[in-house]
Amino acid sequence: QIYECRARKDGGFEWAFVAPDAELFDAKTRSIGRHGAGPAWQASDGSRVVGTLKARADAPQAGAIPWLLLTTKSAGPAGDFSRVTSIQRINTTGGIAPSAPCTAGLQGSTARVPYTADYLFFTPH
């Protein structure tokens, strides 16, 4: 997860979420694509979907990013991801905003926080 140190309206500073940046692997640990800003998922074959948040739940594990359900639409050529209609992110670990203070001296700097998750891709039958 990518975060940026930004000024708040009250004059303080905070780590703000910018975008995910993740490599996607299948159940056999083969790289199958990437997940990034949009949020978007792009398969190795070039097919791509963009998601819209439908539901969110706090992760059961402390210090983990939330579990999500997203609806998707195809945004690329036909391929492995082009028929995906929804994506669920579960079993998350890590990825929350940095615990180090965000201060005026760090404004504009970014931090990358590692995370893992299971992404379930759903298609119509």
Side-chain angles (χ1 to χ4, degrees), residues 43-87:
S44 299
D45 66 7
S47 58
R48 183 174 185 266
V49 292
V50 176
T52 302
L53 183 65
K54 184 173 182 179
R56 170 190 175 115
D58 290 339
Q61 182 179 356
I65 55 178
W67 292 18
L68 304 176
L69 177 61
L70 302 108
T71 57
T72 64
K73 65 178 179 176
S74 180
D80 291 338
F81 287 179
S82 59
R83 293 187 66 239
V84 172
T85 56
S86 61
I87 297 172

